[in-house]
Amino acid sequence: MRGPRALAGALALALPLALSLALPVAAHAQATANTLSSRLDPTTRVAVQAIVDSARRAKLPTAPLIDKALEGAAKHSDGPNIVSAVRQLSVELGQSKRVLGGGASTAELQASATAMHAGVSSRDIALLRSAAGPHRRVTLPLAVMTDLIGRNVPVATASQVVVGLARAGAHDSDLSMFERNVRLDIERGADPSAAAQTRARGVMLRTAPRAGTRPPGNQ
Amino acid sequence: MSDDKLFEDGVIERIAGELRDAERPSAGFDARVMASVRGIARARQREHRERRRLWNRVSQPRTITVRPWSVGLAAAALLLCASLAGWGAHAFARMESAAPAAASGGSQRVQFVLVAPNAKKVAVAGDFNGWDAQHPAYQAVHRGGGVWSVTARVPVGHHRYSFVVDDSLWVADPTAPRVVDDDFGTTNSAIVVEPEIR
């Protein structure tokens, strides 16, 4: 008699526990579905939802994926294109997580995925992570790297310059000023690659004493 | 009157003698004091007994019969409450992401400016408002001379955004870093919002 009673007791305890674990996931999925269903056609919504669910299981941030789908809808892109973009972003987020590690913030993963989308390799992102040191966020350096590429600085040059700045101890404020100066130089007609490299040397001259490294030569 | 005269008349002695006499309490004074003291002692004993009774009730071992289904029901109710709380918190977090103006700790006020002399309407759409160009908090105001601006709260993090001119034209912010994502045919801008330093 003890066996069936114990089994009933265990079931009575296990059932609500399982229910409590399943409920938040179900509620989250429902909230996501509601957001997507108001903006996407049913076929696209189902496909996007599947990618989002898969990302959630892989412990990737899902908000960037939903935002990507919403962006596609806002720009009146067709369903297959939206699904393709969301899937691509999911892959890039996964790669970013592998490169940056489990401690990376959503913003870092998102910035890294965006940089990868612009053509930056996993190796260069790992180099940046290493150059920046363990305690520094790499969100802004990655955003600057992506911006340079968007302004026709070759990918290799953009990566090399930003990794060099991070290694030299450039702060986010230095990088913001660097990005602004390169942008203005290019708008005034400068060659993008030359502008990036020249402005980077200028930043390193200022940051070298701070980082205890030797400033580059007068070039 | 001199001091010697006072001593001679014994006036000072009389006054000192009256002052030395102990005050005589009224009849029954001792009885009233003792009754009051006994009353206080009784109240304290009563209080102590009550405390002891309560402690015995709590600390004495006893057998409680519980049916498994009742434990399950109680646990289910407890966990359901926890789940609903979690769900509520999650829903709130998502709402916050869609309407960042609600929170100030996790967001910063950001000014967006676009020079668009021929525009009739300018709005900002991005990750921070669900790419909703109609979002009321992100409608730019014409400041004169073709300058449009809006200041809105943007959550901490990395975001992509764009200006939407006249509800149809997507324009990257010329003063912000670019994002190379032409998935949907237009270039976006990037913004990194850092946490507020207090």
Side-chain angles (χ1 to χ4, degrees):
Chain A
M1 277 313 281
R2 194 173 166 78
R5 262 194 196 179
L7 184 68
L11 272 177
L13 283 171
L15 199 68
L17 188 68
L19 199 67
S20 76
L21 290 173
L23 261 176
V25 176
H28 187 191
Q30 186 58 46
T32 307
N34 289 345
T35 311
L36 293 174
S37 64
S38 62
R39 309 275 282 277
L40 301 174
D41 65 77
T43 313
T44 309
R45 180 179 57 78
V46 169
V48 168
Q49 186 68 61
I51 299 169
V52 169
D53 291 343
S54 171
R56 186 179 298 119
R57 281 195 295 275
K59 299 196 179 346
L60 293 175
T62 54
L65 301 173
I66 295 164
D67 287 330
K68 177 61 93 175
L70 295 177
E71 180 196 355
K75 292 181 177 176
H76 305 293
S77 188
D78 60 21
N81 198 23
I82 292 174
V83 173
S84 167
V86 173
R87 186 175 293 122
Q88 180 64 30
L89 177 58
S90 174
V91 169
E92 287 156 352
L93 284 170
Q95 288 174 341
S96 297
K97 191 171 180 186
R98 276 193 290 280
V99 173
L100 295 176
S105 66
T106 299
E108 282 180 304
L109 293 178
Q110 209 169 349
S112 169
T114 309
M116 279 184 183
H117 200 75
V120 179
S121 66
S122 296
R123 184 183 159 276
D124 282 342
I125 291 174
L127 274 176
L128 175 65
R129 175 68 280 170
S130 161
H135 303 298
R136 192 182 154 185
R137 294 282 183 205
V138 289
T139 314
L140 194 80
L142 285 167
V144 170
M145 202 184 269
T146 309
D147 173 66
L148 294 179
I149 296 165
R151 295 184 192 279
N152 295 326
V153 175
V155 175
T157 308
S159 300
Q160 189 189 341
V161 160
V162 175
V163 169
L165 288 173
R167 194 169 284 134
H171 294 171
D172 280 0
S173 55
D174 299 319
L175 283 164
S176 293
M177 192 185 288
F178 163 75
E179 182 274 324
R180 192 164 46 245
N181 287 336
V182 172
R183 179 182 0 117
L184 291 173
D185 290 345
I186 295 170
E187 281 170 6
R188 288 177 191 133
D191 171 70
S193 185
Q197 287 174 322
T198 308
R199 290 292 184 179
R201 278 194 291 274
V203 176
M204 284 186 197
L205 277 173
R206 285 197 305 277
T207 56
R210 197 192 296 158
T213 54
R214 232 180 111 202
N218 186 21
Q219 294 168 66
Chain B
M1 197 183 282
S2 70
D3 288 351
D4 293 343
K5 181 76 176 150
L6 280 174
F7 273 110
E8 280 169 17
D9 293 349
V11 174
I12 289 176
E13 268 307 306
R14 270 205 312 279
I15 293 168
E18 279 178 16
L19 286 172
R20 279 187 204 112
D21 277 354
E23 195 175 336
R24 289 176 195 83
S26 60
F29 175 78
D30 287 348
R32 281 203 304 278
V33 168
M34 288 314 292
S36 172
V37 167
R38 281 190 203 103
I40 291 168
R42 269 198 300 274
R44 280 193 184 160
Q45 274 177 350
R46 228 182 355 255
E47 205 176 298
H48 182 68
R49 270 201 304 274
E50 280 296 316
R51 229 180 278 157
R52 196 172 193 143
R53 199 178 303 155
L54 191 68
W55 172 246
N56 286 345
R57 200 178 292 171
V58 175
S59 63
Q60 270 182 358
R62 65 184 64 199
T63 306
I64 302 169
T65 309
V66 180
R67 290 185 181 88
W69 63 263
S70 63
V71 174
L73 207 64
L78 194 71
L79 294 170
L80 190 67
C81 288
S83 297
L84 287 173
W87 183 19
H90 180 82
F92 180 74
R94 185 67 206 160
M95 269 163 56
E96 193 179 74
S97 162
S104 60
S107 62
Q108 291 275 17
R109 282 167 66 81
V110 175
Q111 187 192 41
F112 298 94
V113 180
L114 180 73
V115 178
N118 299 321
K120 302 221 167 9
K121 186 183 171 193
V122 174
V124 180
D127 292 341
F128 40 77
N129 65 1
W131 290 90
D132 181 6
Q134 308 304 322
H135 196 297
Y138 297 87
Q139 301 300 314
V141 174
H142 187 220
R143 310 286 178 188
V147 179
W148 295 77
S149 80
V150 57
T151 302
R153 283 207 169 271
V154 177
V156 166
H158 176 274
H159 304 282
R160 300 166 312 117
Y161 70 97
S162 195
F163 286 107
V164 187
V165 177
D166 296 340
D167 287 328
S168 58
L169 187 64
W170 293 80
V171 181
D173 187 342
T175 64
R178 276 186 194 169
V179 178
V180 188
D181 67 354
D182 46 7
D183 294 325
F184 306 120
T186 62
T187 303
N188 293 316
S189 301
I191 184 170
V192 178
V193 180
E194 298 289 350
E196 197 172 354
I197 298 163
R198 291 176 191 275

